[in-house]
Amino acid sequence: MSQTRSFGASNLPITSIPSELGLMSEVSMVALFHTVSSHPIPTELGNQRKVSGLYMYSASLKESIPTELGNARDLEYFGLHYNSLTGLIPTELGQLDQMSSFLQLYYNLLTGPAPTELGMLSAVRGISLGENRLSLAIPTELGNLDALQTGLDLGENAISSTIPSELGNLGDTLLMDLLLSKNSLTGSIPTELGDLTKFAAGFELSSNRLCGDIPTEVLQITGTDYAVATANSIGTACSKLQGVVRPNSEEGNGRGRALGAPSPSTRGDDGVRSSADSKGEGEGEGEGASPPQAPVPTNVYRALLASLGRDNPREDFEPIYNGLVRLLNNVHESTNVYLPGSVMTIECHQEVLVLLWKLLEENDAFMPYILKHCDVSELIVPISYFMFEARRDPAKVGLVHICTFILLKLSGERNFCVQLNRVFSATTRPQDLPLFTGTHTDLLVIVLHKMVVNGSDKLSPLYNCFLTIICNVSPYCKSLSLVSSVKLVNLFELFTSHRFLYAAEGNHVYVALLLEIFNNVVQYQYAGNPHLVYSIVRRKAIFENLSSLTLPAAVQAAEAQRKLQDRKGQATAAAPTQIIGTTDKTTTLAPGDSATAPPPPPVFPRPAFGFFLGSSGQSIIMWPTLPHVWHAPRANVSCFP
């Protein structure tokens, strides 16, 4: 065993790193990655005087880095990234004077300052300490690293000092990156950074608290102030710097790569670009321009929301999400009990919905976490309930808007759409929602259908959003029930009617969205959706009429339909007929009837209980006082009036 040249383990659930590695006198490399059991680094590895490579990335390492590793003087590569290491970076690492490759400690939980002894690594080609919790100052000794070629990464930490001008000494050797973004760096940008003329990749100073103007020397090497001014207070006097810096939630996925989030100096408290924009825009240009004003303090509420989940997403997001779900479900659960008043109603659902929306918008980590670790379908029931209850109340249009925007944002995520295929339990159904058997996707389709056919006129601007939500979900619908399938075809019939299609120049967009919904389901989930295919085939005349639609024929048909509607309205006024509703508190039309088509004669009183397709198999109840009960010979029978 003493003659072993290397030791490696990959994708193995090892319980600990054997301390016997320190007894292997001829080991030249230790490679350990993608293990699943958390364990510390054995101090005995410091006894390996001849080891040249230490590869331990994504190895579930915890606790601190042993100071004894500084005794492994022949180390050329030191990689402990993508772990959960805590504590300080040992100053003893500065003794590894033979390190000619990389020092990689990024994506850990290391704290404290970066040791000044790292400036003694004269042969190292790259140092990456990003995505930790390092604080205090950037060591000026890092400017002595003459062999640094690939880059220096200190981004995404909590460093709160100024940028040392000594970093300009790296100009003769630095070829790749200088990443200092997402810290709390203050002061102005040193003009000495203009000596870094050999960049081949990135120069990142975004998302800090820098102020003053960008030196012309720096602009000459970057070619743009894009990666410098983003989320800083560039252009303002440093003495007037105030407020907290809003985390750059509009940035992309790349580490340290800003994607053009506006500078806080040009944003108001609500994040909207103000009329008094920065220098060089609008009326402030040219001679006589007013001096730069102090930046408006960033909205602290938004900054705190965006900072949640940085250290421990589970501890932050899990109680928040569970609390939001409980408060939102409290409204319908308190009214759906056997003993009235046994569950107290907490009337704060509107505020909770706004908080949920702001979390989705401001915090980049919140939505990925809940989609991966939480049951997002728990949000569908209360949101559907709120929309269903508020559809006829003009005073609750704002409530419908916020619910729609939440669903629209969530529907753009694949994990959300997949979770909608979970079976919808009737025990959790609010009593005012329609009865059906299916999944949460069916619930969503049925409620949105009801918003269109039986909602307030003030909801018409949201029709596009309703159909977009269904369109986003449609490629993942594994099995639509017969009820929801019929609802979709009913919507298609409504939006393709001549009277509606030609009522406004933009109404054809609804038809295009519905066709895309049908195409997505048939193309990606054909085997599990026979009900939708059956409904389409049963109503194929609608699609045939649409394919042969011409403007003169549509105008003629719409005019004939209007005249027929007028005659039926006069006949109804002369001999009014009572139409009994089944579920709603208001008087409604029969299922399948709409404002664009008159009810077919004869009209008889409706039964007290409806006919539910795809549910528990109820049939039309025959009234003993009537010879027969009229039933429209069509497949689009609604599950509620």
Side-chain angles (χ1 to χ4, degrees), residues 238-260:
C238 293
S239 59
K240 297 182 180 180
L241 184 64
Q242 57 180 323
V244 296
V245 176
R246 175 175 179 265
N248 194 8
S249 62
E250 291 84 4
E251 291 181 359
N253 297 326
R255 288 198 313 119
R257 308 295 183 194
L259 294 184

Side-chain angles (χ1 to χ4, degrees), residues 15-287:
T15 57
S16 64
I17 303 176
S19 59
E20 289 78 8
L21 285 177
L23 303 177
M24 300 179 182
S25 59
E26 299 297 330
V27 170
S28 61
M29 181 183 67
V30 177
L32 184 68
F33 49 93
H34 296 300
T35 56
V36 296
S37 297
S38 299
H39 38 258
I41 302 174
T43 59
E44 289 78 5
L45 285 180
N47 300 329
Q48 289 291 343
R49 301 299 178 89
K50 295 184 179 181
V51 65
S52 61
L54 191 60
Y55 302 84
M56 291 187 177
Y57 62 90
S58 189
S60 301
L61 301 178
K62 63 178 184 178
E63 299 185 10
S64 59
I65 302 174
T67 59
E68 290 80 2
L69 293 182
N71 298 327
R73 299 295 183 86
D74 290 341
L75 269 178
E76 298 178 3
Y77 176 86
F78 192 89
L80 301 179
H81 45 295
Y82 284 103
N83 287 292
S84 299
L85 298 172
T86 58
L88 303 176
I89 299 177
T91 58
E92 288 77 6
L93 295 185
Q95 302 173 9
L96 305 176
D97 51 4
Q98 299 299 319
M99 185 176 297
S100 59
S101 184
F102 305 101
L103 173 63
Q104 294 181 319
L105 298 176
Y106 64 88
Y107 211 94
N108 279 288
L109 303 174
L110 300 172
T111 57
T116 59
E117 288 77 6
L118 295 182
M120 301 170 57
L121 303 177
S122 58
V124 70
R125 290 187 294 164
I127 294 180
S128 181
L129 307 179
E131 298 189 66
N132 280 287
R133 302 178 185 177
L134 302 180
S135 57
L136 300 180
I138 299 176
T140 58
E141 289 78 4
L142 295 180
N144 301 328
L145 300 176
D146 298 333
L148 202 64
Q149 296 180 359
T150 58
L152 176 63
D153 180 9
L154 293 173
E156 301 190 44
N157 281 289
I159 301 174
S160 56
S161 67
T162 59
I163 301 175
S165 59
E166 287 79 2
L167 293 183
N169 298 334
L170 303 174
D172 295 334
T173 58
L174 189 58
L175 298 178
M176 295 295 292
D177 295 318
L178 176 61
L179 305 180
L180 302 178
S181 59
K182 292 188 178 180
N183 281 287
S184 297
L185 298 175
T186 58
S188 59
I189 301 173
T191 58
E192 288 80 1
L193 294 186
D195 297 333
L196 304 176
T197 57
K198 296 185 178 181
F199 276 117
F203 180 79
E204 286 290 345
L205 299 177
S206 59
S207 298
N208 281 289
R209 303 177 65 181
L210 300 173
C211 53
D213 294 325
I214 302 176
T216 56
E217 295 85 353
V218 175
L219 290 177
Q220 290 175 359
I221 65 169
T222 61
T224 176
D225 61 353
Y226 172 73
V228 178
T230 303
N232 281 298
S233 296
I234 298 299
T236 62
C238 293
S239 59
K240 297 182 180 180
L241 184 64
Q242 57 180 323
V244 296
V245 176
R246 175 175 179 265
N248 194 8
S249 62
E250 291 84 4
E251 291 181 359
N253 297 326
R255 288 198 313 119
R257 308 295 183 194
L259 294 184
S263 169
S265 61
T266 60
R267 299 174 73 97
D269 286 342
D270 56 355
V272 181
R273 189 171 178 87
S274 62
S275 58
D277 286 332
S278 58
K279 179 181 177 182
E281 296 181 15
E283 301 176 356
E285 299 182 3
E287 189 174 351

